[in-house]
Amino acid sequence: MLHWSISLFRIRGIRLAVHVSFFLLLAYVAYQGWHTAPGAHWRGLIWSVSYVLLLFTCVVLHELGHALTARHFGVGVPRILLLPVGGMAEFDSIPREPRQEILIALAGPAVNFGLIACLLFIVPPPSRHELLTSDLTFRSLVQHILTMNFAMGCFNLVPVFPMDGGRVLRALLARQMPYVRATFWAATVGKFFAALAIGLALTGMFFTQAWVGGALLALLFTFIFWAGENEYRTVRIEDADRVRWKL
C-alpha cells in the first residue's frame, strides 16, 4: 500500500512523495468546505483546502527536522512520504547510539514549536471561541495552523513507539538494557496505548457520530500499532544477522 505514491520533488536531495489516498482527503475537505459555508461556497472551499495544504506543509517541515538531523549523523534519508494521517521520513537505518536517536526524534517537535514562535509574530494565540468557530479569514487560518502545530508537537512527544516520544523512550531504555530488548518494551508500551486509542476512537464514533474524524484517528493508531511491531521485528532480524556475522 505504501508503494501507491506519487513523487513530487526533492528537498536537499530528499524525495518528497504523496500517497494517492491523500487526494481523497483533499477532495473530502474541499467538499466539506463548499457545503459548510452557506452563501460563500468558494470561500469555504478555498479556506478548507488552504488549511489542509498548510497543515501538511508543517508536516513536511516536521519530517525534514528529523531527516536533516539524521543526515547530520550520516544516516541516509531517501524519501519523505505524506499520508492522510500524517507523514514519515524513511531512514536507511536508525542510529543505535541513544544520544543520536534522541536528537533525531526531538528535532521534529522542535520544528513545530519553532513554527509556533514564528506564527505568534503574525497572529495572537486563539481563544477557545476562535478555535471552535471559523470566520474564513486569514487570521483564523493562521490561528488554526498555530494550534495544530502545538497539537502536533505535543502529540509526537507522547511515548508511543515508533512516534518521537516512543523513540526517546527506546533510546533511554537502551542505556540500561540491550537494544533489541529496549525496542521490545518500547514497542509493547506503544502497542498497548495504540490499541487503547483505537478502541476509544471507535467508541467515540458511535457516541458523537464524528465518523470521519474517528475513522482517521483509528486509522492513525492502527498504523502506529503496525509500524511499532514492524520495526521491532526488523531490529530483531538485524540483531540476529549481526550475531551470525560475528560467528
Side-chain angles (χ1 to χ4, degrees), residues 64-77 89 91 93-95 100 103-104 107:
L64 276 174
H66 294 311
L68 296 179
T69 306
R71 284 177 54 171
H72 174 75
F73 294 117
V75 178
V77 187
F91 299 154
S93 62
I94 299 295
Q100 294 181 3
L103 290 175
I104 293 171

Side-chain angles (χ1 to χ4, degrees), residues 60-99:
V60 171
L61 294 174
H62 174 103
E63 296 301 329
L64 276 174
H66 294 311
L68 296 179
T69 306
R71 284 177 54 171
H72 174 75
F73 294 117
V75 178
V77 187
R79 181 173 76 157
I80 292 173
L81 177 63
L82 291 181
L83 300 157
V85 294
M88 60 182 221
E90 299 177 358
F91 299 154
D92 287 341
S93 62
I94 299 295
R96 294 199 174 198
E97 203 284 308
R99 174 180 167 274

Side-chain angles (χ1 to χ4, degrees), residues 23 55 61 64 101 110 152 198 201:
F23 296 105
L55 178 60
L61 294 174
L64 276 174
E101 182 168 22
M152 195 186 309
I198 292 168

